[in-house]
Amino acid sequence: MNTHIYNNMRKTVSRAACCCLLLVSGLLVSCSDYLETKTFGKKLPKSNDDYEQLLANQLRNLENNNDTYFGSCQLVSQWESYSDNTNASLKSAAQATYLPDYVGANIGATQYRIQNLYGRIKDHNIILGNLPEPDTEKGRLLTATCHAMRGALYFYAMRECCEAYDPSRISEILGLPIVDEFNIEGQPARSSLQQTIDFIVGDLQQAIDMNVEDDKYVFNVDVARAFLARTYFWGQQWQNAIDQAKVLLDKFPLLSGDDYLNMLKDQTGKSGNTIFRTYRTGAATYYNNALTHSKKRPVDVKLVNLFAEKGRDIRYTFSFNKNLQNQKPLVLRIRSAEMCLIIAESYAHLGNNAEALKYLNMLREHRISNYEPLTEATLPAVDRSALIQQDATGQPLTPLMQAILNERRKELYMEGDRWFELKRNGGPEFWVGYNGVKYVTEHYLYTYPFSIRDIRINPAIRQNPGYPD
């Protein structure tokens, strides 16, 4: 690599970061060096190898589990703390800093997360817009990876900073500012939620069409397909979600017994039927602190009671101990079990209960010994005291839909999923009390705010409901 060129590029990016290259994302701060960014195009690297280095830093962060974009152990811990998976009222240590009492305790920090996500998106825009040899093998790898990573970053930003998909309000729900090129003077307005979904689908589909199976850059065709299945699922395109998820479930069959446990215990790599995950090749102290803190708040008894089969369910003894302390590793991952649950719920929304039950039972039989398949007649009645009382389309829960959501809660416990499931299924309000204070998760808090600074600099960005402009 030409170190001089690369260092010049990094210095220029650093200067632009002072005035916030996030202007490309519609997020700008002022700085006396603003005009210097005009010369950015003259300092771009000149080879695919140099552009590869721009991507390398993002991939390195994934390897040491210090990646605050795709999911560090601390981020997973925070998402779980926002949800009802653990009981904040019974937190055993005030110094459990990894465990906020509720989402409102972190709302000041969440508003900056979208800035960080757009900072990463900026790098992909630079590569996609300037790669000198996109038709070479390395160029193809870089292009496919950037489309997949950019699509995944936009998915995270959408899931956190846009309201949940609501078919009755789709025309009025705000999406994200869409930025697909490096433009230091751009100030894009927020798109609609549907436009945001369509953009993410386009990015991920381009990556899939290039069919890169090489795991060198992590975000290969399987990872792109997993995020596409998630995006279709979030956007309630049920049949499309089924089609994508089935490809992955066929390629990564469900595991059971020791094979399943060994996959979940693996803290240093991607094993079993894991499609995507953050890694931990370093930062052991950082990880161990987060895991220790996760034990400071007991697992919520309502989650524990969902394990009707108790010891016959392999997850019951693996996830927590007799004192209801967490035992499951804090790893954000995409596994084929999630794809199975996406298929089951999507079929239920389409009214195909037979196929929905088929995939629900498929997962359960891999987790529960001496398993007897559920039928529509044997499904438990809807629990009217449960937090979620409506499905993603706003309809009252049926026994089948509740069974699928409960299975998802058990399967993806401590994998950063439950908070977004609450948001996707009505955003129910709930409260916890700790040390004499009542903390209420109001509906609007499920959607993170844009920072006021960014809105003042770019008036085209509209704030999310519930927050001051």
Side-chain angles (χ1 to χ4, degrees):
M1 179 187 71
N2 187 323
T3 305
H4 177 70
I5 293 176
Y6 180 60
N7 285 340
N8 279 343
M9 179 188 73
R10 292 307 297 263
K11 289 175 183 176
T12 308
V13 170
S14 179
R15 289 186 187 129
C18 168
C19 7
C20 209
L21 277 181
L22 296 179
L23 176 59
V24 271
S25 65
L27 309 170
L28 169 68
V29 295
S30 62
C31 140
S32 60
D33 291 335
Y34 171 71
L35 293 178
E36 287 191 49
T37 62
K38 298 283 190 173
T39 64
F40 184 91
K42 297 180 181 179
K43 297 185 179 182
L44 286 172
K46 296 181 180 180
S47 74
N48 283 1
D49 288 342
D50 296 327
Y51 279 99
E52 184 179 29
Q53 296 308 308
L54 193 57
L55 187 63
N57 186 53
Q58 295 195 29
L59 297 174
R60 277 194 295 269
N61 283 335
L62 283 175
E63 292 176 356
N64 64 24
N65 198 27
N66 193 29
D67 188 88
T68 57
Y69 305 89
F70 289 106
S72 66
C73 51
Q74 182 178 0
L75 185 60
V76 174
S77 182
Q78 288 174 350
W79 285 344
E80 290 290 326
S81 297
Y82 301 160
S83 79
D84 59 339
N85 271 351
T86 58
N87 193 327
S89 299
L90 300 178
K91 185 169 67 173
S92 63
Q95 67 269 26
T97 55
Y98 282 84
L99 306 178
D101 294 309
Y102 81 128
V103 66
N106 270 13
I107 211 66
T110 59
Q111 65 181 310
Y112 297 112
R113 185 163 149 74
I114 192 169
Q115 292 183 340
N116 294 331
L117 291 170
Y118 271 103
R120 288 293 181 87
I121 289 168
K122 171 259 301 174
D123 287 348
H124 298 302
N125 287 339
I126 290 172
I127 296 171
L128 290 171
N130 298 280
L131 195 65
E133 298 176 293
D135 296 328
T136 63
E137 181 60 23
K138 178 168 287 187
R140 182 170 161 273
L141 282 170
L142 291 171
T143 299
T145 302
C146 284
H147 277 300
M149 291 187 76
R150 188 173 71 178
L153 288 164
Y154 268 115
F155 171 80
Y156 277 117
M158 174 190 71
R159 191 172 62 165
E160 296 171 37
C161 300
C162 299
E163 294 179 85
Y165 192 95
D166 181 346
S168 68
R169 299 178 52 243
I170 190 57
S171 62
E172 61 188 81
I173 299 178
L174 292 172
L176 298 169
I178 298 298
V179 184
D180 61 357
E181 62 179 359
F182 181 79
N183 178 5
I184 196 65
E185 295 182 331
Q187 288 190 317
R190 294 183 67 174
S191 64
S192 70
L193 179 58
Q194 190 60 60
Q195 288 171 325
T196 296
I197 291 172
D198 292 344
F199 180 82
I200 297 170
V201 167
D203 246 352
L204 296 172
Q205 191 60 62
Q206 285 189 69
I208 292 169
D209 290 344
M210 299 183 79
N211 197 35
V212 173
E213 296 185 346
D214 192 333
D215 212 19
K216 177 179 179 180
Y217 298 137
V218 181
F219 283 77
N220 61 17
V221 63
D222 297 324
V223 177
R225 194 180 301 281
F227 276 101
L228 183 58
R230 280 181 161 189
T231 303
Y232 280 139
F233 186 64
W234 191 264
Q236 301 189 12
Q237 298 182 43
W238 308 120
Q239 189 58 57
N240 286 337
I242 290 169
D243 294 342
Q244 299 300 325
K246 277 187 174 180
V247 173
L248 293 170
L249 186 57
D250 289 343
K251 186 171 182 178
F252 300 91
L254 294 174
L255 301 177
S256 58
D258 288 341
D259 290 335
Y260 171 71
L261 294 182
N262 289 336
M263 171 186 62
L264 295 182
K265 291 176 183 177
D266 183 3
Q267 298 175 21
T268 59
K270 186 175 77 171
S271 61
N273 57 26
T274 300
I275 302 165
F276 169 78
R277 63 157 290 171
T278 54
Y279 300 84
R280 187 171 71 84
T281 57
T285 301
Y286 177 78
Y287 175 86
N288 290 333
N289 283 341
L291 186 60
T292 298
H293 280 240
S294 75
K295 303 177 189 297
K296 303 296 185 182
R297 186 184 297 178
V299 178
D300 189 83
V301 68
K302 287 190 174 182
L303 170 56
V304 175
N305 290 339
L306 293 181
F307 292 91
E309 296 80 10
K310 298 192 182 301
R312 289 195 293 117
D313 190 324
I314 195 170
R315 299 165 298 188
Y316 183 78
T317 53
F318 177 76
S319 299
F320 44 83
N321 61 24
K322 292 181 180 180
N323 294 323
L324 303 188
Q325 293 174 307
N326 175 59
Q327 296 185 141
K328 190 173 180 180
L330 302 177
V331 179
L332 188 148
R333 49 163 68 89
I334 302 177
R335 301 186 279 113
S336 59
E338 181 183 343
M339 299 298 111
C340 188
L341 290 162
I342 284 175
I343 295 168
E345 182 177 335
S346 296
Y347 271 128
H349 284 297
L350 293 174
N352 192 336
N353 289 0
E355 286 295 295
L357 270 170
K358 171 185 170 182
Y359 284 92
L360 174 61
N361 284 319
M362 181 186 297
L363 178 63
R364 286 171 58 81
E365 71 181 357
H366 282 82
R367 304 290 179 263
I368 302 168
S369 60
N370 301 318
Y371 177 66
E372 291 291 332
L374 290 170
T375 67
E376 290 198 63
T378 60
L379 284 167
V382 173
D383 179 3
R384 298 303 176 190
S385 69
L387 188 55
I388 294 179
Q389 288 293 312
Q390 67 178 58
D391 67 20
T393 67
Q395 298 300 309
L397 288 186
T398 63
L400 175 58
M401 187 61 71
Q402 180 173 263
I404 294 169
L405 296 180
N406 286 347
E407 205 61 40
R408 183 175 183 123
R409 186 180 183 187
K410 290 184 288 182
E411 180 68 24
L412 300 181
Y413 160 76
M414 279 295 162
E415 296 185 36
D417 183 73
R418 177 64 175 178
W419 170 246
F420 298 105
E421 280 298 284
L422 293 176
K423 177 176 181 175
R424 194 175 63 86
N425 292 281
E429 297 189 344
F430 63 103
W431 65 272
V432 298
Y434 181 72
N435 199 25
V437 179
K438 181 179 180 180
Y439 301 98
V440 181
T441 297
E442 298 184 58
H443 180 78
Y444 78 92
L445 289 173
Y446 285 96
T447 305
Y448 301 164
F450 286 78
S451 75
I452 294 176
R453 180 193 66 185
D454 298 327
I455 292 173
R456 287 174 177 169
I457 292 169
N458 181 6
I461 296 178
R462 291 169 58 190
Q463 183 60 281
N464 284 319
Y467 300 99
D469 290 334

Short mmCIF file of all heavy atoms in Angstrom, two decimals, residues 9-23 27-29 31 33-34 36-38 40 122 126 182 184:
data_model
loop_
_atom_site.label_atom_id
_atom_site.label_comp_id
_atom_site.label_asym_id
_atom_site.label_seq_id
_atom_site.Cartn_x
_atom_site.Cartn_y
_atom_site.Cartn_z
N MET A 9 -4.86 10.67 2.88
CA MET A 9 -6.31 10.50 2.86
C MET A 9 -6.86 10.53 4.28
O MET A 9 -7.86 11.20 4.55
CB MET A 9 -6.67 9.16 2.20
CG MET A 9 -8.17 8.91 2.17
SD MET A 9 -8.56 7.26 1.60
CE MET A 9 -8.09 6.32 3.03
N ARG A 10 -6.17 9.84 5.22
CA ARG A 10 -6.67 9.79 6.58
C ARG A 10 -6.60 11.17 7.24
O ARG A 10 -7.47 11.55 8.00
CB ARG A 10 -5.86 8.79 7.40
CG ARG A 10 -6.08 7.35 6.98
CD ARG A 10 -7.56 7.00 6.98
NE ARG A 10 -8.13 7.09 8.29
CZ ARG A 10 -8.29 6.06 9.12
NH1 ARG A 10 -7.94 4.86 8.75
NH2 ARG A 10 -8.82 6.23 10.33
N LYS A 11 -5.52 11.95 6.91
CA LYS A 11 -5.42 13.30 7.47
C LYS A 11 -6.57 14.17 6.96
O LYS A 11 -7.16 14.96 7.69
CB LYS A 11 -4.09 13.93 7.11
CG LYS A 11 -2.90 13.30 7.85
CD LYS A 11 -1.59 13.88 7.35
CE LYS A 11 -0.41 13.21 8.03
NZ LYS A 11 0.88 13.70 7.50
N THR A 12 -6.88 14.01 5.68
CA THR A 12 -7.95 14.80 5.10
C THR A 12 -9.28 14.41 5.71
O THR A 12 -10.10 15.27 6.04
CB THR A 12 -8.01 14.60 3.57
OG1 THR A 12 -6.71 14.85 3.06
CG2 THR A 12 -8.99 15.55 2.94
N VAL A 13 -9.49 13.09 5.87
CA VAL A 13 -10.72 12.64 6.50
C VAL A 13 -10.79 13.16 7.92
O VAL A 13 -11.83 13.57 8.41
CB VAL A 13 -10.79 11.10 6.49
CG1 VAL A 13 -11.94 10.61 7.35
CG2 VAL A 13 -10.97 10.59 5.07
N SER A 14 -9.63 13.18 8.62
CA SER A 14 -9.61 13.67 9.99
C SER A 14 -9.97 15.14 10.05
O SER A 14 -10.73 15.58 10.91
CB SER A 14 -8.23 13.45 10.60
OG SER A 14 -8.18 13.92 11.91
N ARG A 15 -9.42 15.94 9.11
CA ARG A 15 -9.77 17.36 9.08
C ARG A 15 -11.26 17.54 8.83
O ARG A 15 -11.92 18.35 9.46
CB ARG A 15 -8.98 18.08 7.99
CG ARG A 15 -7.50 18.23 8.29
CD ARG A 15 -6.84 19.09 7.23
NE ARG A 15 -5.40 19.09 7.42
CZ ARG A 15 -4.54 18.82 6.46
NH1 ARG A 15 -4.97 18.54 5.26
NH2 ARG A 15 -3.25 18.84 6.70
N ALA A 16 -11.76 16.74 7.87
CA ALA A 16 -13.17 16.85 7.55
C ALA A 16 -14.02 16.41 8.73
O ALA A 16 -15.10 16.91 8.95
CB ALA A 16 -13.51 16.00 6.33
N ALA A 17 -13.48 15.47 9.52
CA ALA A 17 -14.23 15.03 10.69
C ALA A 17 -14.37 16.17 11.69
O ALA A 17 -15.34 16.25 12.42
CB ALA A 17 -13.53 13.84 11.34
N CYS A 18 -13.36 17.07 11.72
CA CYS A 18 -13.44 18.24 12.60
C CYS A 18 -14.68 19.05 12.27
O CYS A 18 -15.38 19.53 13.13
CB CYS A 18 -12.18 19.07 12.47
SG CYS A 18 -12.27 20.68 13.23
N CYS A 19 -14.92 19.23 10.94
CA CYS A 19 -16.13 19.93 10.55
C CYS A 19 -17.21 18.95 10.23
O CYS A 19 -18.24 19.30 9.71
CB CYS A 19 -15.94 20.81 9.33
SG CYS A 19 -14.46 20.77 8.46
N CYS A 20 -16.92 17.74 10.56
CA CYS A 20 -17.87 16.64 10.52
C CYS A 20 -18.26 16.30 9.12
O CYS A 20 -19.15 16.88 8.55
CB CYS A 20 -19.09 16.92 11.36
SG CYS A 20 -19.82 15.44 11.98
N LEU A 21 -17.54 15.30 8.61
CA LEU A 21 -17.88 14.76 7.30
C LEU A 21 -19.29 14.22 7.31
O LEU A 21 -19.81 13.84 6.28
CB LEU A 21 -16.90 13.64 6.94
CG LEU A 21 -15.57 14.11 6.35
CD1 LEU A 21 -14.71 12.91 6.02
CD2 LEU A 21 -15.78 14.95 5.12
N LEU A 22 -19.89 14.19 8.48
CA LEU A 22 -21.25 13.71 8.57
C LEU A 22 -22.21 14.63 7.84
O LEU A 22 -23.40 14.37 7.80
CB LEU A 22 -21.67 13.58 10.03
CG LEU A 22 -20.86 12.54 10.81
CD1 LEU A 22 -21.31 12.49 12.23
CD2 LEU A 22 -20.99 11.20 10.15
N LEU A 23 -21.71 15.70 7.28
CA LEU A 23 -22.55 16.49 6.40
C LEU A 23 -23.12 15.63 5.30
O LEU A 23 -24.22 15.85 4.83
CB LEU A 23 -21.71 17.62 5.79
CG LEU A 23 -22.42 18.50 4.77
CD1 LEU A 23 -23.62 19.15 5.41
CD2 LEU A 23 -21.49 19.54 4.24
N LEU A 27 -25.74 15.62 8.66
CA LEU A 27 -25.41 15.95 10.03
C LEU A 27 -24.10 16.72 10.01
O LEU A 27 -23.06 16.16 9.76
CB LEU A 27 -25.26 14.67 10.85
CG LEU A 27 -26.44 13.70 10.73
CD1 LEU A 27 -26.10 12.38 11.38
CD2 LEU A 27 -27.67 14.29 11.37
N LEU A 28 -24.14 18.02 10.30
CA LEU A 28 -22.97 18.88 10.09
C LEU A 28 -22.70 19.73 11.31
O LEU A 28 -23.60 20.19 11.97
CB LEU A 28 -23.23 19.79 8.89
CG LEU A 28 -22.25 20.93 8.65
CD1 LEU A 28 -20.90 20.38 8.24
CD2 LEU A 28 -22.78 21.88 7.61
N VAL A 29 -21.42 19.91 11.63
CA VAL A 29 -21.04 20.92 12.59
C VAL A 29 -20.08 21.88 11.89
O VAL A 29 -19.47 21.53 10.89
CB VAL A 29 -20.36 20.30 13.84
CG1 VAL A 29 -21.35 19.45 14.59
CG2 VAL A 29 -19.14 19.50 13.47
N CYS A 31 -16.73 24.47 11.44
CA CYS A 31 -15.32 24.39 11.81
C CYS A 31 -14.54 25.31 10.90
O CYS A 31 -14.91 25.55 9.77
CB CYS A 31 -14.85 22.96 11.71
SG CYS A 31 -13.25 22.66 11.05
N ASP A 33 -11.87 24.87 9.43
CA ASP A 33 -11.22 24.20 8.31
C ASP A 33 -12.20 23.75 7.24
O ASP A 33 -11.87 22.93 6.40
CB ASP A 33 -10.45 22.97 8.81
CG ASP A 33 -9.25 23.35 9.64
OD1 ASP A 33 -8.77 24.47 9.45
OD2 ASP A 33 -8.83 22.54 10.47
N TYR A 34 -13.43 24.27 7.28
CA TYR A 34 -14.46 23.77 6.37
C TYR A 34 -14.00 23.80 4.92
O TYR A 34 -14.17 22.84 4.18
CB TYR A 34 -15.73 24.60 6.53
CG TYR A 34 -16.76 24.28 5.48
CD1 TYR A 34 -17.43 23.06 5.50
CD2 TYR A 34 -17.03 25.16 4.45
CE1 TYR A 34 -18.36 22.75 4.53
CE2 TYR A 34 -17.95 24.85 3.48
CZ TYR A 34 -18.62 23.66 3.53
OH TYR A 34 -19.54 23.35 2.56
N GLU A 36 -11.16 23.54 3.63
CA GLU A 36 -10.13 22.57 3.30
C GLU A 36 -10.74 21.28 2.75
O GLU A 36 -10.11 20.56 1.99
CB GLU A 36 -9.29 22.25 4.54
CG GLU A 36 -8.36 23.37 4.94
CD GLU A 36 -7.38 22.90 5.99
OE1 GLU A 36 -6.77 21.83 5.80
OE2 GLU A 36 -7.23 23.58 7.01
N THR A 37 -11.96 20.98 3.15
CA THR A 37 -12.57 19.75 2.68
C THR A 37 -12.88 19.81 1.19
O THR A 37 -13.15 18.80 0.57
CB THR A 37 -13.87 19.47 3.44
OG1 THR A 37 -14.80 20.52 3.20
CG2 THR A 37 -13.62 19.35 4.93
N LYS A 38 -12.81 20.99 0.62
CA LYS A 38 -13.05 21.12 -0.82
C LYS A 38 -11.97 20.40 -1.62
O LYS A 38 -12.21 20.02 -2.75
CB LYS A 38 -13.04 22.60 -1.22
CG LYS A 38 -14.12 23.45 -0.57
CD LYS A 38 -15.47 23.23 -1.20
CE LYS A 38 -16.47 24.26 -0.69
NZ LYS A 38 -17.74 24.18 -1.39
N PHE A 40 -10.72 17.56 -0.90
CA PHE A 40 -10.72 16.13 -0.57
C PHE A 40 -10.51 15.27 -1.80
O PHE A 40 -9.76 14.33 -1.79
CB PHE A 40 -12.05 15.76 0.10
CG PHE A 40 -12.09 14.34 0.55
CD1 PHE A 40 -11.69 14.00 1.84
CD2 PHE A 40 -12.52 13.33 -0.30
CE1 PHE A 40 -11.71 12.69 2.25
CE2 PHE A 40 -12.55 12.01 0.12
CZ PHE A 40 -12.15 11.69 1.40
N LYS A 122 -20.42 6.98 5.41
CA LYS A 122 -19.60 7.89 4.62
C LYS A 122 -18.42 7.16 3.98
O LYS A 122 -18.11 7.35 2.80
CB LYS A 122 -19.11 9.04 5.51
CG LYS A 122 -18.07 9.96 4.92
CD LYS A 122 -16.68 9.62 5.42
CE LYS A 122 -16.59 9.71 6.93
NZ LYS A 122 -15.28 9.23 7.43
N ILE A 126 -17.58 6.75 -0.06
CA ILE A 126 -16.30 7.13 -0.67
C ILE A 126 -15.78 5.99 -1.54
O ILE A 126 -15.35 6.19 -2.68
CB ILE A 126 -15.27 7.50 0.41
CG1 ILE A 126 -15.67 8.82 1.09
CG2 ILE A 126 -13.87 7.63 -0.19
CD1 ILE A 126 -14.82 9.18 2.29
N PHE A 182 -20.61 10.64 -1.67
CA PHE A 182 -19.90 11.59 -0.83
C PHE A 182 -20.11 12.99 -1.37
O PHE A 182 -19.66 13.33 -2.46
CB PHE A 182 -18.40 11.26 -0.79
CG PHE A 182 -17.64 12.20 0.10
CD1 PHE A 182 -17.66 12.04 1.47
CD2 PHE A 182 -16.91 13.24 -0.44
CE1 PHE A 182 -16.97 12.91 2.29
CE2 PHE A 182 -16.22 14.12 0.38
CZ PHE A 182 -16.25 13.95 1.75
N ILE A 184 -19.93 16.78 0.35
CA ILE A 184 -19.67 17.57 1.55
C ILE A 184 -20.67 18.70 1.73
O ILE A 184 -20.82 19.25 2.81
CB ILE A 184 -18.22 18.12 1.52
CG1 ILE A 184 -17.80 18.59 2.92
CG2 ILE A 184 -18.07 19.23 0.50
CD1 ILE A 184 -17.72 17.49 3.93
#
